């Protein structure tokens, strides 16, 4: 093989296999001399690839972990497998990796040949992941929508898309995308809405047919410290204002047992004598949610305050009893 760039790519592809390659075998695979193999190894090292040479008559070589991440060379099957995996990680968020999955997927799909893009799309269309059933409201995100938006964010290009609001109103939007934010359960796009002249938060599962217009823009200053804070503030504005619940509850169980089963927002109970504990806390969550969380602690408890909670629990208990009639006698 006389084409040096092509030979280097083939050599790199071989070295990325987790094994040690004797110099003679590499020379035979590439159709060159061992001396040429040694020169090519030196070229790879100059490019940042940490190639380790083993001592011995045949001088084996292998690729080892380095300080930086050099470019990888993937064959067709490897590229398809990685793209499918990234799509799964992007469309069904795994805490801590979902945003990186979208960025990596956008880069990979940009350079994939059309034949491989079709294979990825066909495989994705034929697969139905079970994790989608746990998203709460059944909302799913098309990875192609995420990659289109991610590319527009990176390239600072305006995007057009359809949007369906919470009341089912369908609109067309022209926006300057700023960042994508994942909450673990949903994806949001933070963008400046051109026609409305203001910043907006869009649920990505409600975005349809996005496309980059090619028009570049200079990013505007976000009114919050970062995109995550902007999404958090937007969600708080939409959250209904609930009255404060001042809780005073005694549990017939040790404090560590109760603490492990209560949500952190309710705080930790104080230990009492005889393996009991008492919780005094204030919260602004719904009465129904707090009552359910108390029942899920799975121990006896007494609500001293507030009266509205004792009344709700009494009514809930009566309804639950009516829902489970006594079994007929034998």
């Amino acid at each position: 093989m006389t084409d040096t760039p092509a030979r280097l790519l083939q050599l790199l592809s071989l070295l990325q296999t987790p094994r040690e390659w004797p110099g003679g075998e590499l020379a035979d695979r590439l159709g060159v001399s061992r001396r040429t193999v040694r020169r090519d190894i030196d070229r790879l090292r100059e490019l940042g690839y940490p190639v380790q040479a083993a001592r011995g008559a045949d001088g084996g070589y292998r690729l080892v972990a380095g300080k930086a991440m050099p470019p990888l060379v993937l064959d067709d099957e490897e590229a398809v497998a990685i793209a499918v995996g990234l799509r799964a990680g992007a469309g069904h968020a795994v805490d801590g990796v979902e945003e990186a999955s979208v960025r990596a997927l956008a880069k990979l799909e940009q350079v994939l040949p059309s034949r491989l893009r079709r294979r990825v799309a066909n495989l994705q269309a034929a697969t139905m992941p079970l994790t989608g059933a746990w998203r709460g409201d059944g909302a799913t995100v098309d990875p192609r929508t995420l990659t289109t938006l991610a590319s527009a964010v990176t390239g600072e290009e305006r995007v057009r898309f359809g949007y369906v609001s919470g009341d089912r109103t369908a609109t067309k939007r022209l926006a300057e995308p700023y960042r994508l934010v994942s909450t673990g359960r949903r994806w949001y796009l933070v963008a400046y809405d051109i026609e409305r002249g203001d910043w907006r938060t869009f649920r990505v599962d409600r975005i349809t047919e996005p496309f980059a217009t090619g028009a570049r823009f200079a990013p505007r200053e976000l009114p919050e410290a970062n995109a995550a804070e902007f999404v958090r503030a937007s969600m708080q504005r939409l959250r209904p204002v609930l009255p404060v619940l001042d809780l005073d509850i005694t549990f017939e169980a040790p404090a560590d047992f109760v603490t492990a089963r209560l949500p952190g927002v309710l705080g930790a109970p104080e230990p009492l004598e005889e393996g009991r504990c008492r919780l005094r806390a204030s919260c602004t969550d719904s009465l129904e949610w707090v009552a359910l969380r108390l029942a899920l602690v799975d121990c006896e408890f007494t609500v001293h305050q507030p009266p509205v909670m004792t009344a709700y629990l009494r009514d809930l208990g009566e309804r639950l009893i009516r829902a489970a009639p006594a079994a007929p006698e034998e």
Side-chain angles (χ1 to χ4, degrees):
M1 180 181 292
T2 57
D3 187 342
T4 300
R7 188 177 67 247
L8 285 175
L9 288 174
Q10 185 177 354
L11 174 59
L12 180 58
S13 179
L14 293 172
L15 291 174
Q16 285 175 170
T17 305
R19 55 161 290 191
E20 186 172 294
W21 288 88
E25 187 174 350
L26 288 176
D28 293 340
R29 289 285 192 113
L30 300 174
V32 296
S33 67
R34 296 189 184 189
R35 182 179 179 183
T36 299
V37 170
R38 289 194 294 271
R39 286 201 304 264
D40 288 348
I41 292 293
D42 290 338
R43 291 190 181 98
L44 289 179
R45 288 170 176 161
E46 292 172 359
L47 293 172
Y49 294 96
V51 182
Q52 186 180 78
R55 296 182 180 276
D58 210 15
Y61 300 96
R62 64 189 182 94
L63 201 62
V64 297
K67 295 181 180 179
M69 177 69 182
L72 298 177
V73 177
L74 305 173
D75 61 29
D76 286 3
E77 301 302 324
E78 293 167 339
V80 169
I82 291 175
V84 171
L86 290 173
R87 281 194 172 196
H92 304 278
V94 177
D95 189 27
V97 301
E98 60 277 358
E99 186 176 349
S101 295
V102 171
R103 293 199 310 268
L105 182 57
K107 293 177 183 178
L108 181 58
E109 291 201 338
Q110 186 175 3
V111 297
L112 278 181
S114 59
R115 70 179 191 281
L116 297 186
R117 284 200 211 100
R118 286 194 296 271
R119 287 177 60 182
V120 172
N122 291 340
L123 184 55
Q124 190 75 16
T127 306
M128 180 176 292
L130 182 61
T131 51
W134 300 336
R135 298 184 67 88
D137 58 1
T140 57
V141 176
D142 187 343
R144 289 172 295 183
T145 297
L146 281 173
T147 53
T148 298
L149 296 175
S151 297
V153 168
T154 303
E156 297 176 351
E157 286 186 72
R158 291 181 175 178
V159 289
R160 288 190 180 275
F161 55 85
Y163 191 71
V164 180
S165 62
D167 61 2
R168 303 296 181 183
T169 301
T171 56
K172 296 292 185 181
R173 304 296 182 101
L174 174 63
E176 296 175 354
Y178 183 78
R179 287 291 186 278
L180 284 166
V181 176
S182 171
T183 65
R185 180 168 169 263
R186 289 198 181 104
W187 280 93
Y188 294 89
L189 171 67
V190 175
Y192 187 84
D193 193 313
I194 300 297
E195 295 174 354
R196 288 156 180 77
D198 199 5
W199 289 92
R200 290 288 190 272
T201 299
F202 301 97
R203 273 180 51 173
V204 176
D205 57 284
R206 294 177 177 172
I207 291 177
T208 60
E209 300 179 352
F211 67 92
T213 64
R216 304 284 180 174
F217 66 90
R220 304 169 191 260
E221 184 177 354
L222 194 68
E224 295 286 345
N226 52 55
E229 290 299 324
F230 184 83
V231 172
R232 183 177 291 109
S234 299
M235 295 172 70
Q236 289 176 348
R237 287 193 296 269
L238 294 174
R239 186 176 298 166
V241 179
L242 298 172
V244 176
L245 294 175
D246 293 317
L247 302 174
D248 185 359
I249 305 166
T250 299
F251 295 91
E252 303 298 323
D256 56 352
F257 176 90
V258 175
T259 301
R261 288 161 175 76
L262 278 179
V265 295
L266 295 181
E270 301 175 0
L272 299 177
E273 71 285 349
E274 300 176 358
R276 303 160 67 235
C277 62
R278 190 161 187 168
L279 175 69
R280 293 181 176 91
S282 296
C283 67
T284 55
D285 294 290
S286 70
L287 187 68
E288 296 81 4
W289 182 82
V290 175
L292 178 61
R293 297 304 310 204
L294 294 176
L296 290 176
V297 173
D298 197 23
C299 72
E300 297 290 330
F301 63 92
T302 302
V303 176
H304 309 293
Q305 291 291 339
V308 64
M309 177 62 73
T310 58
Y312 179 78
L313 286 172
R314 190 177 296 111
D315 178 66
L316 177 61
E318 292 173 355
R319 280 190 281 126
L320 291 176
I321 291 174
R322 291 194 298 271
E329 296 181 1
E330 295 293 339

